[in-house]
Amino acid sequence: MKDDTPMPEIEKCMESAWRAFHVYKKYSLRERAHFMRTIAAELEKRSELLIATAAAETHLPIERLQSELKRTTFQLTSYADACERGDWLEARVDTADSNRMPAKPDLRKMQVPLGPVVVFGASNFPFAYSTAGGDTACALAAGCPVVVKGHPAHIKTSELAAEAILAAAKACHMPDGIFAHIRGASFEVGKALVMHPHTKAVGFTGSFQGGKQLFDWAHQRKEPIPVFAEMGSINPVFLLPEKMKESAAEVAKQYGASITLNVGQFCTNPGLLIGIDNEDLNIFIKVLSKEISGVLPEPMLHQGICENFYNKRSNALSQSHVELLAVSQTSPKENEGYPTLAATSAEAFINNPILHEEVFGPYSLIVKCRNIAEMMAVARCLEGQLTSTLIATDNDVINNEELVSQIQNLCGRFILNGVPTGVEVCLAMQHGGPFPATTDSRFTSVGADGIKRFTRPVAFQNWPNHLLPDALKDENPLGIWRTVNNTFTRDKIISD
Amino acid sequence: MKDDTPMPEIEKCMESAWRAFHVYKKYSLRERAHFMRTIAAELEKRSELLIATAAAETHLPIERLQSELKRTTFQLTSYADACERGDWLEARVDTADSNRMPAKPDLRKMQVPLGPVVVFGASNFPFAYSTAGGDTACALAAGCPVVVKGHPAHIKTSELAAEAILAAAKACHMPDGIFAHIRGASFEVGKALVMHPHTKAVGFTGSFQGGKQLFDWAHQRKEPIPVFAEMGSINPVFLLPEKMKESAAEVAKQYGASITLNVGQFCTNPGLLIGIDNEDLNIFIKVLSKEISGVLPEPMLHQGICENFYNKRSNALSQSHVELLAVSQTSPKENEGYPTLAATSAEAFINNPILHEEVFGPYSLIVKCRNIAEMMAVARCLEGQLTSTLIATDNDVINNEELVSQIQNLCGRFILNGVPTGVEVCLAMQHGGPFPATTDSRFTSVGADGIKRFTRPVAFQNWPNHLLPDALKDENPLGIWRTVNNTFTRDKIISD
């Protein structure tokens, strides 16, 4: 089996996607939604085979894969609902005023699709962030054809999902080129896809190195294009003193599970725990160490990820002033992750950027601060994050306003007294934080607001009602919410 | 008078802006709006001096400067209204569901400010796109401090506007550093501002060279930041055959005025007129040539712009298959623009990228196509534009669906039977098109949606009501529109 789709075939795919774009963008919201729901149904039809194939390719447990596939079809159907509701079109109407001097023209604006979108699937989510995952669902809702580069670590799963999408495309009479699946184990394939003039946006989930490379290519193009790369994150957790006094042991138990969930292979894995060095933190450390030592090593997604985990882990543990606190009491076998807890001082952490890097896997570092001021210094030295978490009482929050504000400023999602793992699929979700967590903190890759990543606004000036897109017509045939002369409404517009 | 603000002072400004950010972001929408309205009032107080100073620096007629200043205060007050309405916060609430397995957390999302914004003013709009212009108004509404690099061509006007902003800041008890004005005639000042780690976004209006340079710097930073650069545009106008048969002469008269308005110094100046080579186009050319020859040369904004106009104009006119059709019958004096109309064939245009470049000033090029297919080929070879215009009957639109779709895809604003000059300040305005018209087609620099350029979403997970920002509290104390469990509403949320 070849590892790479040949370049002439990639060229054909992109040409075909470009032609499909000009057809698909005219499809109604209902037709797009129907297509997305059909993809979900086609995935469900193939669920047994998809799960068996993914299990063989990724070492992820069956139960996790079952729930991930459910999440994937839920994304497709819930984004289909959002697509039809049409709020994301951000329709705005400002009606004409011929009495004003100079006369005010009629202006009506809505979001339109950008063009073909290239999606790079994630290794850690073979369904939900891959071929038929969130990026693909959002792009199709927006009106964009999709070209997926399947992840080499689960290429068979990817091809099966592609089959489901193509079956749905056929059943829904979609234009040729609406979707294509590309194989690319080599660097050149990714580069060709990002640099192709017909590519108008890129979605990516993976490492910092990978995402940053796509981002740089996209900016070297004659016509730069947006890249939505969700990259690494260490998801700092700030343990505030009053809450720790109340429930250090409980929090430690909760975090033992979160750190090691699915061998720590989540972009929202809590990799940094920042506390005040006192008796309560000692209790926390004692309980968490016990939890970690009781977790069994499990196989990681693939060899590359496992090697990377051990390299990063050793590098972190070999830094000065880093103390190993606990490992699983069971030795890991080949390809298995090794649940690990370490600690360091705030001073050592602040002065050593290596300790700020993600160790992708079941690893977390405790940072011991002498006081709140040192905790603030840690917060100040951190880069952008997908999530930040506060473990705090109301008093902790109220009495540390500046610290709380600083921590909020780091992240896209700000959790109070919970764990960052578990990314709910809903409109209020923000999955995307300041660089380097993602390349564009202004957008989310989870939740229906992710549709907007693949759109831009166009204003229509002075068009007669019958020639306008339905979303902007006086009679509001789609029944969507619009802003008419600065007021939100679903009403028809009554012309003078 | 020194031309450049010294580097240590720039460093101080940015430090001060960073501190101000952490204070100002907590100000209520009402406080921000009050500040913006006070700036408008302070500008009005100084209107006579501002207009006299700008007239001396820019050669723009008094009447134009008066209306531009009105536009500037209107922007400030209307964006202040939008700031208070709070629609731009895009508040979304998904309430908890403890009965679901696993339990669904409470998630609430809203837009928060990015941080200090650096604004580079435009030479052609000393008020509306400069120091107290649209970018500054949007950033202040969003909750971001602003550092303006005054345009060297109207630095005194810029400093006067800065005085008005600082007077308003004092009157409204704004934090130190909320606004600063920097002088920079040299390259280094702009670079230092864009590269400064406290700068979190950039607004720019000007040339392609200038905007692209800022964009490249912003991406070379350790933490890349968004750049909203509005650059050149030739604003193509497509003259469709039925409409031309009906009213070629009328359209020509309208365009004679649009091409030469304010010596053609608008980013929406129609620089390209594409028609079918027939008797109707001959009438159009005859009437337009007469119009152009009757327009008097007028002084351009400054010597650099004037020199650039003549260089670009000569270069365009010296290309093979370019024919000079008409110039003003009055010879221009020093520093005056020379109203000029030229023509070429579709074939020559398609094959010569020099003819696609903007000639900033009173110049327009007619492209003669043999038929609609050639018009389509011209549309296909064009780059991104701020505006495209169709001169067309309903039949023209309906019978040329593919062409119309292609033209729409080029631009941010799509005008039917009008002129592109005149950029209305309203919510439905889109002033921003695909690259190279702007660096980010997903946002507008005119209209209150421009506020969103300087914001990003943050989701709050599991926060108790009393600790949430007002915009997300159950009782909706701001009375804003929100999306609660996928439904638009201004209602309170009733907890279970």
Side-chain angles (χ1 to χ4, degrees):
Chain A
M1 218 181 276
K2 291 169 302 175
D3 279 344
D4 279 2
T5 301
M7 286 295 166
E9 210 173 299
I10 292 176
E11 182 61 37
K12 255 197 250 171
C13 276
M14 293 311 308
E15 278 298 332
S16 182
W18 185 243
R19 281 194 304 273
F21 167 56
H22 290 277
V23 180
Y24 184 56
K25 72 176 180 180
K26 289 179 223 149
Y27 280 47
S28 68
L29 300 182
R30 183 174 291 187
E31 286 168 313
R32 292 182 203 167
H34 175 61
F35 176 35
M36 294 164 70
R37 290 184 191 116
T38 309
I39 295 172
E42 292 289 339
L43 289 170
E44 270 161 18
K45 269 192 213 166
R46 293 163 174 79
S47 61
E48 264 183 61
L49 184 57
L50 276 164
I51 287 165
T53 309
E57 286 188 314
T58 65
H59 305 118
L60 288 169
I62 296 290
E63 212 171 273
R64 145 73 197 267
L65 287 169
Q66 283 167 337
S67 72
E68 192 189 324
L69 188 56
K70 273 195 193 134
R71 179 192 180 93
T72 309
T73 54
F74 178 71
Q75 284 175 170
L76 281 157
T77 55
S78 69
Y79 301 174
D81 294 346
C83 173
E84 274 195 293
R85 264 198 312 275
D87 302 340
W88 62 277
L89 292 171
E90 298 188 346
R92 280 107 165 75
V93 176
D94 284 292
T95 52
D97 180 357
S98 53
N99 294 324
R100 200 195 62 176
M101 287 292 290
K104 188 180 173 189
D106 184 277
L107 271 158
R108 302 183 183 215
K109 181 166 71 168
M110 64 181 283
Q111 298 297 115
V112 302
L114 288 178
V117 173
V118 168
V119 172
F120 291 80
S123 68
N124 60 338
F125 279 90
F127 301 135
Y129 292 76
S130 285
T131 313
D135 289 350
T136 297
C138 287
L140 292 176
C144 300
V146 173
V147 176
V148 165
K149 193 191 87 58
H151 199 287
H154 49 72
I155 195 70
K156 286 179 196 162
T157 309
S158 188
E159 284 181 337
L160 274 173
E163 270 177 41
I165 298 172
L166 289 169
K170 200 174 167 191
C172 300
H173 310 289
M174 287 291 140
D176 282 347
I178 185 72
F179 178 84
H181 184 265
I182 302 283
R183 284 177 162 249
S186 78
F187 184 86
E188 282 74 22
V189 170
K191 184 167 184 183
L193 287 170
V194 173
M195 299 303 271
H196 198 286
H198 290 337
T199 302
K200 298 301 177 192
V202 175
F204 168 90
T205 310
S207 70
F208 176 77
Q209 286 73 16
K212 183 61 165 50
Q213 179 62 78
L214 301 185
F215 183 66
D216 289 344
W217 283 332
H219 285 95
Q220 287 155 18
R221 290 168 48 117
K222 187 171 174 233
E223 178 203 6
I225 53 172
V227 172
F228 306 96
E230 191 232 285
M231 307 184 289
S233 191
I234 54 174
N235 305 296
V237 178
F238 291 82
L239 309 161
L240 270 66
E242 194 178 85
K243 184 71 176 181
M244 287 294 274
K245 192 176 286 302
E246 277 180 11
S247 43
E250 256 171 75
V251 174
K253 278 189 187 159
Q254 194 182 17
Y255 269 82
S258 177
I259 293 165
T260 56
L261 189 66
N262 274 131
V263 209
Q265 298 168 115
F266 287 117
C267 49
T268 53
N269 194 55
L272 200 67
L273 307 163
I274 303 124
I276 308 282
D277 193 6
N278 60 20
E279 203 35 56
D280 304 317
L281 189 66
N282 289 341
I283 295 168
F284 178 83
I285 287 173
K286 204 172 140 194
V287 177
L288 182 55
S289 296
K290 197 174 158 220
E291 291 291 317
I292 295 287
S293 70
V295 175
L296 291 176
E298 281 178 80
M300 295 192 78
L301 283 157
H302 59 84
Q303 206 189 330
I305 284 199
C306 192
E307 282 169 10
N308 193 46
F309 168 70
Y310 283 102
N311 288 339
K312 287 275 199 179
R313 178 184 176 277
S314 318
N315 193 25
L317 293 177
S318 70
Q319 302 299 309
S320 58
H321 306 289
V322 173
E323 180 194 357
L324 180 65
L325 292 180
V327 293
S328 169
Q329 63 199 5
T330 309
S331 289
K333 296 201 257 323
E334 209 192 318
N335 252 339
E336 285 185 343
Y338 199 9
T340 304
L341 185 68
T344 192
S345 69
E347 202 185 336
F349 181 81
I350 290 166
N351 294 314
N352 189 349
I354 290 172
L355 297 176
H356 305 198
E357 289 173 19
E358 186 180 14
V359 179
F360 191 78
Y363 171 92
S364 198
L365 178 69
I366 293 176
V367 177
K368 298 177 180 178
C369 305
R370 279 176 298 193
N371 47 40
I372 289 283
E374 237 184 28
M375 197 176 255
M376 183 71 177
V378 171
R380 280 215 178 99
C381 82
L382 287 173
E383 294 183 297
Q385 304 288 337
L386 286 172
T387 73
S388 302
T389 303
L390 271 187
I391 300 296
T393 61
D394 287 5
N395 282 331
D396 283 329
V397 173
I398 292 161
N399 297 334
N400 296 287
E401 198 190 336
E402 210 186 335
L403 175 68
V404 173
S405 166
Q406 176 68 32
I407 297 170
Q408 181 201 308
N409 204 45
L410 289 173
C411 71
R413 181 162 55 105
F414 195 18
I415 301 134
L416 185 66
N417 297 322
V419 294
T421 42
V423 182
E424 190 66 31
V425 178
C426 64
L427 195 63
M429 173 50 65
Q430 173 60 17
H431 194 60
F435 191 93
T438 68
T439 48
D440 198 336
S441 67
R442 297 166 301 162
F443 295 89
T444 181
S445 61
V446 176
D449 273 337
I451 298 172
K452 288 197 276 180
R453 290 177 294 169
F454 305 117
T455 66
R456 66 181 182 90
V458 168
F460 294 82
Q461 181 171 326
N462 198 34
W463 286 70
N465 192 55
H466 65 283
L467 293 179
L468 283 166
D470 284 350
L472 299 178
K473 286 192 164 97
D474 281 349
E475 60 271 30
N476 194 13
L478 304 181
I480 59 174
W481 282 95
R482 311 189 292 188
T483 309
V484 178
N485 298 324
N486 293 321
T487 301
F488 261 127
T489 175
R490 294 175 74 179
D491 290 351
K492 297 175 186 191
I493 296 162
I494 312 293
S495 296
D496 302 334
Chain B
M1 220 181 272
K2 290 169 302 176
D3 278 345
D4 279 3
T5 301
M7 287 294 167
E9 210 172 299
I10 292 175
E11 182 60 36
K12 256 198 250 171
C13 275
M14 293 311 308
E15 278 298 332
S16 182
W18 186 244
R19 281 195 304 272
F21 168 57
H22 290 278
V23 181
Y24 184 57
K25 73 176 180 182
K26 289 179 225 150
Y27 279 47
S28 68
L29 300 183
R30 183 175 290 188
E31 286 167 313
R32 291 183 203 167
H34 175 61
F35 176 35
M36 293 164 72
R37 291 184 191 117
T38 308
I39 295 172
E42 292 290 339
L43 289 170
E44 270 162 17
K45 268 193 215 166
R46 292 163 176 79
S47 60
E48 263 184 61
L49 184 57
L50 277 164
I51 287 165
T53 308
E57 286 188 313
T58 64
H59 304 119
L60 288 170
I62 296 290
E63 212 171 274
R64 145 73 198 267
L65 286 169
Q66 282 167 338
S67 72
E68 192 189 324
L69 188 57
K70 272 194 194 133
R71 180 191 180 93
T72 309
T73 54
F74 178 71
Q75 283 175 171
L76 281 158
T77 54
S78 69
Y79 300 175
D81 295 346
C83 174
E84 274 195 293
R85 265 198 311 276
D87 302 340
W88 62 277
L89 292 172
E90 298 188 346
R92 280 108 165 74
V93 176
D94 283 292
T95 53
D97 180 359
S98 53
N99 294 324
R100 200 197 61 176
M101 286 292 289
K104 187 179 173 189
D106 184 277
L107 271 157
R108 304 184 182 214
K109 181 166 72 167
M110 63 181 284
Q111 299 295 117
V112 302
L114 288 179
V117 173
V118 168
V119 172
F120 291 80
S123 68
N124 60 337
F125 278 89
F127 300 136
Y129 291 75
S130 285
T131 314
D135 288 350
T136 298
C138 287
L140 292 176
C144 300
V146 173
V147 177
V148 166
K149 193 191 86 60
H151 199 287
H154 49 72
I155 194 70
K156 285 179 198 164
T157 309
S158 187
E159 284 181 337
L160 274 174
E163 270 177 42
I165 297 171
L166 289 169
K170 200 174 168 192
C172 299
H173 309 289
M174 288 291 139
D176 282 347
I178 184 72
F179 178 84
H181 184 265
I182 302 283
R183 284 178 161 247
S186 79
F187 184 87
E188 282 73 23
V189 170
K191 184 166 184 183
L193 287 170
V194 173
M195 299 303 273
H196 198 285
H198 290 337
T199 301
K200 296 302 176 191
V202 174
F204 168 89
T205 311
S207 70
F208 176 76
Q209 286 72 17
K212 183 61 165 49
Q213 180 61 77
L214 301 185
F215 183 67
D216 289 344
W217 283 333
H219 285 96
Q220 287 155 16
R221 290 167 49 116
K222 188 173 174 230
E223 179 203 5
I225 53 172
V227 171
F228 306 96
E230 190 233 285
M231 307 183 290
S233 190
I234 53 173
N235 305 295
V237 179
F238 291 82
L239 308 161
L240 269 67
E242 193 178 86
K243 185 71 177 182
M244 287 294 274
K245 191 177 285 303
E246 276 180 11
S247 43
E250 255 172 76
V251 175
K253 279 190 188 161
Q254 195 183 16
Y255 270 82
S258 177
I259 294 164
T260 57
L261 190 67
N262 273 131
V263 209
Q265 297 168 115
F266 287 118
C267 48
T268 54
N269 195 54
L272 200 67
L273 307 162
I274 302 124
I276 308 285
D277 193 6
N278 60 20
E279 203 35 55
D280 305 318
L281 189 66
N282 289 341
I283 295 168
F284 178 83
I285 287 174
K286 204 172 140 193
V287 176
L288 182 55
S289 295
K290 196 175 159 219
E291 291 291 317
I292 296 287
S293 69
V295 176
L296 291 176
E298 281 179 79
M300 296 192 77
L301 284 157
H302 59 83
Q303 207 190 330
I305 284 199
C306 192
E307 281 169 10
N308 193 46
F309 168 68
Y310 283 101
N311 289 340
K312 287 276 199 178
R313 178 183 176 276
S314 317
N315 193 24
L317 293 177
S318 70
Q319 302 300 308
S320 57
H321 306 290
V322 173
E323 180 195 356
L324 180 66
L325 292 180
V327 293
S328 168
Q329 62 199 7
T330 309
S331 290
K333 297 200 257 323
E334 209 190 320
N335 251 340
E336 285 184 343
Y338 199 8
T340 304
L341 184 68
T344 193
S345 69
E347 201 186 337
F349 181 82
I350 289 165
N351 294 314
N352 189 350
I354 290 172
L355 297 176
H356 306 196
E357 289 174 19
E358 186 180 14
V359 179
F360 190 77
Y363 171 92
S364 197
L365 178 69
I366 293 177
V367 177
K368 298 177 180 178
C369 304
R370 279 176 298 191
N371 47 40
I372 289 284
E374 238 186 27
M375 197 176 256
M376 183 71 176
V378 171
R380 280 214 177 101
C381 82
L382 288 172
E383 293 184 297
Q385 305 288 337
L386 286 172
T387 73
S388 301
T389 302
L390 271 187
I391 301 294
T393 60
D394 287 5
N395 282 331
D396 283 328
V397 173
I398 292 160
N399 297 334
N400 295 287
E401 199 191 334
E402 211 185 334
L403 175 68
V404 173
S405 166
Q406 177 67 32
I407 297 171
Q408 182 201 307
N409 204 44
L410 290 173
C411 71
R413 181 162 55 105
F414 195 19
I415 301 134
L416 184 67
N417 297 322
V419 293
T421 43
V423 182
E424 191 66 31
V425 178
C426 63
L427 194 64
M429 173 51 65
Q430 173 60 15
H431 194 60
F435 191 92
T438 68
T439 47
D440 197 336
S441 68
R442 296 166 302 161
F443 295 89
T444 182
S445 61
V446 176
D449 272 337
I451 298 171
K452 288 197 277 181
R453 289 177 294 169
F454 305 117
T455 67
R456 66 181 182 91
V458 168
F460 295 82
Q461 181 172 327
N462 199 32
W463 286 70
N465 191 55
H466 65 283
L467 292 179
L468 282 166
D470 283 350
L472 299 177
K473 286 192 164 96
D474 281 349
E475 60 271 30
N476 193 12
L478 304 181
I480 59 175
W481 282 94
R482 311 189 292 188
T483 309
V484 178
N485 297 325
N486 293 322
T487 301
F488 263 127
T489 175
R490 294 174 74 179
D491 290 350
K492 297 174 186 191
I493 296 162
I494 312 293
S495 297
D496 303 334

